[in-house]
Amino acid sequence: IKPRIMTSQPVTSALVTATPAVPGGSRVGDCPPVGIQLEGLILPPILIVDVALGLLGNVVALWIFCFRLKSWNPNNLFLFNLVIADFLVLVSLPLRIDALLRRHWLFGDVMCRLNLFLMFSNRSASIALMTVVAIYRYFKVVHPHHRFNRMTKYHAAFVSLFVWVLVIGPRVPMLAYNHIKFRGNTTQCLFFASYKEASKTIFILVDMHRILTVVEFFIPLAMLLFCSIRIYKFLRKRQLGNKEKMQKAMRVCVAIVAVFMVCFLPTTLTTIGVWANRSFRPWDCKSFYTITQINIVTLGLNFLNSAMDPIIYIFSSTMFRRALCDSLPRILRCRKDAGAQEATTSSLETQSTTQQELKTM
């Protein structure tokens, strides 16, 4: 009978024991959690700018939509939903700024779940609603007689509701799990912080988030480019002698594509980088830390869209632009609109004089 040999080695976790050794002496999943380092320095100033500019622009936009807009159409309804999405995330961002500056989360588990849910849902909602606005503009310009253009406010409300369900559905599981991470004496609220999450469910959620981050960028980008190119070609063919009309119609698509690329492309590329590092260099913890930190920093650009979205409102809605100009003091009002108003008044006076002369004759 062989004697049982007792060793003094500590028992490792099942996750680490089950993973094979790789070059460099590490195992897949040995990388400890990522702390607040680079994003703690870079992200707070970016988020403060996002909140300051975003709240200013979106509070004004919300006021105009609620109190100054005299009539509604489907386009304005889609833009109003975009304002709501931006406003909700901007209200929740100060909690994230406070946690980054203190390097400690003080607001508990429930607020952590809501904060992460709103942060990631805002990206999806902004992308989806901007894509809907671009498609609506495409049908208005390229296919003016299509039945899609007979959409009423109630149809637009149903489309908006469908977009919200489509956006929120995949993110709801985030509310069901605890995302609080403990680092010594500090507490952090992070959705993904380690190479391999301890819980298999959280690991699946993180993977689903990364898939959505990539898919919800490239598919809408293809649709936006298609709509923009088709509108440009159509107007170039039909409006050869009127460049001003072509430029006005293209402003919406150019503004949406510009906001889209600036705000969402960096996060998508760094997410692909994290994925590639985990798949092809699982032992390289240093690269994992670097790419993950950069990925978290680029999230600040996602929220920059909330500050830039009012540009889309101005370019894509004539009624919004007029309501904004009418709300400004007379000195600051749009010269072009004032000139147009004077021209309209002059034209009406001329018509009235002509009618009077005809009656006299």
Side-chain angles (χ1 to χ4, degrees), residues 45 175 196 333:
L175 297 172
K196 288 273 191 178
R333 285 184 185 177

Side-chain angles (χ1 to χ4, degrees), residues 42 54 137 147 285 339:
I42 298 178
R137 176 63 54 142
R147 62 180 181 179
C285 294

Side-chain angles (χ1 to χ4, degrees), residues 346-358:
S346 176
S347 176
L348 289 173
E349 289 175 355
T350 303
Q351 289 177 7
S352 178
T353 305
T354 304
Q355 288 175 358
Q356 191 67 30
E357 290 176 354
L358 287 171

Side-chain angles (χ1 to χ4, degrees), residues 171-240:
R171 306 293 185 185
V172 166
M174 293 180 64
L175 297 172
Y177 295 94
N178 188 353
H179 304 290
I180 297 292
K181 309 290 192 302
F182 297 99
R183 307 284 181 267
N185 296 327
T186 62
T187 303
Q188 295 177 15
C189 171
L190 298 171
F191 180 50
F192 48 89
S194 62
Y195 205 88
K196 288 273 191 178
E197 297 287 347
S199 169
K200 186 176 179 181
T201 305
I202 298 295
F203 181 67
I204 292 172
L205 282 178
V206 170
D207 263 0
M208 187 171 70
H209 160 73
R210 287 172 178 154
I211 292 170
L212 286 173
T213 300
V214 175
V215 170
E216 72 186 8
F217 175 81
F218 285 107
I219 293 179
L221 177 62
M223 298 173 72
L224 288 174
L225 292 176
F226 170 80
C227 293
S228 302
I229 293 170
R230 289 284 292 132
I231 289 173
Y232 174 76
K233 288 184 176 180
F234 179 83
L235 292 175
R236 188 177 181 183
K237 182 179 179 182
R238 296 294 182 92
Q239 303 286 347
L240 290 175

Side-chain angles (χ1 to χ4, degrees), residues 146-188:
H146 195 277
R147 62 180 181 179
F148 185 85
N149 293 317
R150 295 195 292 270
M151 180 187 298
T152 64
K153 292 182 291 185
Y154 302 103
H155 295 147
F158 179 78
V159 171
S160 301
L161 180 62
F162 175 76
V163 168
W164 278 110
V165 171
L166 191 67
V167 164
I168 291 176
R171 306 293 185 185
V172 166
M174 293 180 64
L175 297 172
Y177 295 94
N178 188 353
H179 304 290
I180 297 292
K181 309 290 192 302
F182 297 99
R183 307 284 181 267
N185 296 327
T186 62
T187 303
Q188 295 177 15

